[in-house]
Amino acid sequence: LFADSGVKLPFWVQTSTPEQVAEAVVRGIERERPEVTVGPLTLRAGTRAAELVPVTAARIQRLLGAERIADELAEAQRRKR
């Protein structure tokens, strides 16, 4: 979602490139895995924290600007149409 959006993410937010996602999908197919997880460790850790303490994680995300990022991403996607 972020690869072509032009949205600037905070330095602590990491994403996977389209190439990394493609490589993970190919590995998953080759290893006959029904599901693969693609994402940097920081993203996976944040997701795990949100599973364990969702309200706290949501508050922290809001404080760190998640709403602004989501709004900018939505606007970038609208412009691409």
Side-chain angles (χ1 to χ4, degrees), residues 15-71:
T15 63
S16 297
T17 65
E19 291 80 12
Q20 290 169 321
V21 173
E23 289 171 11
V25 169
V26 170
R27 277 194 313 273
I29 292 169
E30 291 173 344
R31 297 176 184 173
E32 298 182 11
R33 300 235 168 115
E35 185 173 321
V36 293
T37 301
V38 181
L41 179 60
T42 54
L43 185 59
R44 293 191 314 254
T47 300
R48 178 54 115 182
E51 291 172 352
L52 298 173
V53 286
V55 173
T56 301
R59 287 179 181 152
I60 292 169
Q61 289 170 352
R62 275 193 299 276
L63 288 173
L64 295 176
E67 188 173 333
R68 175 194 58 80
I69 293 167
D71 290 345

